[in-house]
């Protein structure tokens, strides 16, 4: 048996300017979205997942776990 691999989805991280998170909502739809957000140079100066004014939504448990792990890594 042999298999051929074909990339059907390619990810390109977009660059974006830093922005203030106060009174903003963040919606992460995938692990790739979480990775792209932080690879773009976003560095939280607080654990923004615990601040009441930020609304953060994740689609799926894997995305939620990826966000939690990434926030902990960048908070150190």
């Amino acid at each position: 048996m042999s298999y051929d691999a074909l990339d059907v989805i390619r990810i390109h991280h977009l660059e974006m300017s830093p922005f203030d998170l106060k009174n903003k909502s963040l919606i992460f739809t995938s692990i790739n979205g979480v990775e792209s957000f932080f690879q773009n140079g976003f560095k939280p100066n607080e654990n923004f997942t615990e601040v009441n004014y930020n609304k953060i939504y994740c689609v799926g448990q894997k995305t939620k776990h990826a966000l939690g792990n990434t926030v902990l890594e960048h908070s150190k």
Side-chain angles (χ1 to χ4, degrees), residues 6-74:
L6 175 65
D7 288 334
V8 293
I9 298 176
R10 291 195 180 135
I11 309 271
H12 175 73
H13 299 288
L14 301 175
E15 290 187 30
M16 57 187 207
S17 301
F19 57 92
D20 183 18
L21 291 175
K22 190 166 188 174
N23 297 321
K24 302 278 188 204
S25 294
L26 299 174
I27 302 170
F28 294 99
T29 59
S30 68
I31 294 171
N32 290 326
V34 172
E35 290 172 356
S36 182
F37 187 72
F38 287 93
Q39 283 180 5
N40 221 341
F42 178 78
K43 302 264 191 247
N45 58 5
E46 62 185 344
N47 185 345
F48 66 89
T49 60
E50 295 178 356
V51 179
N52 289 333
Y53 59 77
N54 292 321
K55 302 294 182 199
I56 302 168
Y57 304 94
C58 292
V59 178
Q61 289 295 318
K62 290 180 183 178
T63 305
K64 180 180 176 181
H65 290 297
L67 178 62
N69 291 338
T70 304
V71 168
L72 287 175
E73 288 172 15
H74 284 83

